[in-house]
Amino acid sequence: MRRDPGSRLVLKLGGELLEQADDLQRVAAGIARLARRTAVVVVHGGGREIDTALAAAGIPTQQVDGFRVTDAPTLDVVVGVLAGAINTRLVAALRRTGARPVGLTGADAAVATVRRASPITTVSGTTVDLGLVGAPVSNGTPQLLTDLLARGYLPVVACIGATRKGQLLNVNADTLASHLAAAIGASRLVIAGATSGVLNEEGRTIERLTVRAAARLIRSGTASKGMVAKLEACRAALRRGVGDVLITNGREVRLERLAEARGPLAGCTQVVR
Ligand SMILES: Nc1ncnc2c1ncn2[C@@H]1O[C@H](COP(=O)(O)OP(=O)(O)OP(=O)(O)O)[C@@H](O)[C@H]1O
Ligand SMILES: [Mg+2]
């Protein structure tokens, strides 16, 4: 299948998919096949490995609704694990597939300009200052990404941003992927993680979800923790013109099928406006 010159897709990978060598190879091969069909920007997280590194450093961790409360020592670990260990590991795995991966963070060439996130109101109603966490600001099209795509490279973005004054900030990977999808005019955002999409109260995959229904899932507590951040990211992407968001299990799905899929896919939730 030939690449459609106009179509773009952002693929967000949860950190859990990038820990084990077999998962990594399978995901990398899927990305390479996907990137032959459409222009892809990869964004990755690293939640669990960051937790492990923080524990090893004796730094306590706190997450609220999927967002990491980040102080200066935490940020150092986040940057080291995400931009250092995980990004380079994924880039190396992609090399084996014949793709032309380029590893970067949101700080490179203003791919993601951020400001410090305002304190958030959590699902439980408390207000929390997340600290050194970035909220992306609209800054036009990230030229570096579109240039790389136009030349056939595969950008692999670690979820870190920098302010205009050069302060690095931790950005939730779903938030960054959503922002970049809108910024590059992607028709679709795919969020691949370790669950079979968004699960209902019985633990079954929800096939299709509107933004309103997603808000109800959060209010009822059926969607919690990291899924709250994900559904918030979906809402933002759809509001800014991304056609749909697929939340899916990166271990089970064939990633290349997600370029054009229209109907329901097993283990996959389609989120629409
Ligand atoms: N209704 C739900 N359906 C599916 N997952 C849910 C739901 N409610 C809560 N979750 C939780 O959300 C988690 C996914 O978010 P999490 O932030 O942990 O991972 P990720 O975003 O894929 O990875 P990373 O943070 O490394 O990018 C799931 O592992 C699950 O525990
Ligand atoms: Mg997450």
Side-chain angles (χ1 to χ4, degrees):
M1 179 141 339
R2 290 279 298 284
R3 205 181 204 190
D4 170 355
S7 76
R8 291 173 181 166
L9 179 149
V10 172
L11 171 65
K12 185 268 174 163
L13 300 170
E16 203 174 327
L17 300 172
L18 309 173
E19 292 171 5
Q20 311 287 342
D22 53 341
D23 283 337
L24 188 65
Q25 275 318 317
R26 210 169 322 117
V27 166
I31 294 170
R33 289 192 297 268
L34 178 66
R36 276 181 223 124
R37 301 189 176 203
T38 183
V40 179
V41 171
V42 176
V43 177
H44 67 84
R48 295 204 317 181
E49 274 185 72
I50 292 167
D51 286 342
T52 305
L54 287 169
I59 300 170
T61 64
Q62 194 195 346
Q63 295 222 23
V64 284
D65 299 344
F67 298 100
R68 185 181 300 281
V69 179
T70 307
D71 61 7
T74 301
L75 181 67
D76 282 345
V77 172
V78 166
V79 171
V81 173
L82 277 174
I86 301 179
N87 191 269
T88 49
R89 186 193 305 146
L90 176 56
V91 166
L94 282 162
R95 277 227 43 189
R96 278 184 53 174
T97 68
R100 297 204 293 158
V102 176
L104 47 112
T105 77
D108 290 86
V111 161
T113 302
V114 297
R115 59 170 174 75
R116 256 186 78 156
S118 310
I120 62 165
T121 304
T122 65
V123 174
S124 60
T126 55
T127 302
V128 177
D129 183 345
L130 295 172
L132 298 173
V133 166
V137 296
S138 294
N139 195 26
T141 307
Q143 191 73 41
L144 177 62
L145 294 184
T146 51
D147 284 356
L148 288 170
L149 293 175
R151 289 169 186 275
Y153 292 101
L154 173 62
V156 179
V157 187
C159 56
I160 293 158
T163 66
R164 290 202 169 88
K165 289 187 170 165
Q167 165 71 54
L168 287 175
L169 293 174
N170 176 24
V171 187
N172 175 278
D174 299 312
T175 306
L176 182 63
S178 161
H179 170 74
L180 292 179
I184 68 167
S187 50
R188 172 168 283 176
L189 167 63
V190 174
I191 298 181
T195 67
S196 297
V198 185
L199 307 178
N200 65 17
E201 42 294 315
E202 280 120 42
R204 279 205 260 309
T205 305
I206 300 170
E207 259 178 24
R208 202 158 188 273
L209 200 54
T210 61
V211 168
R212 267 189 181 199
R216 280 198 295 274
L217 281 182
I218 293 172
R219 278 199 301 276
S220 70
T222 305
S224 62
K225 299 178 280 181
M227 190 51 69
V228 176
K230 243 175 260 307
L231 293 174
E232 172 57 29
C234 293
R235 189 180 65 80
L238 295 168
R239 196 186 52 216
R240 291 179 61 198
V242 176
D244 65 2
V245 186
L246 303 183
I247 301 179
T248 189
N249 188 320
R251 289 196 181 96
E252 286 169 2
V253 83
R254 292 181 65 84
L255 291 173
E256 70 275 17
R257 290 195 56 199
L258 303 179
E260 297 101 10
R262 289 286 163 258
L265 287 170
C268 184
T269 303
Q270 181 190 33
V271 190
V272 295
R273 281 190 79 154

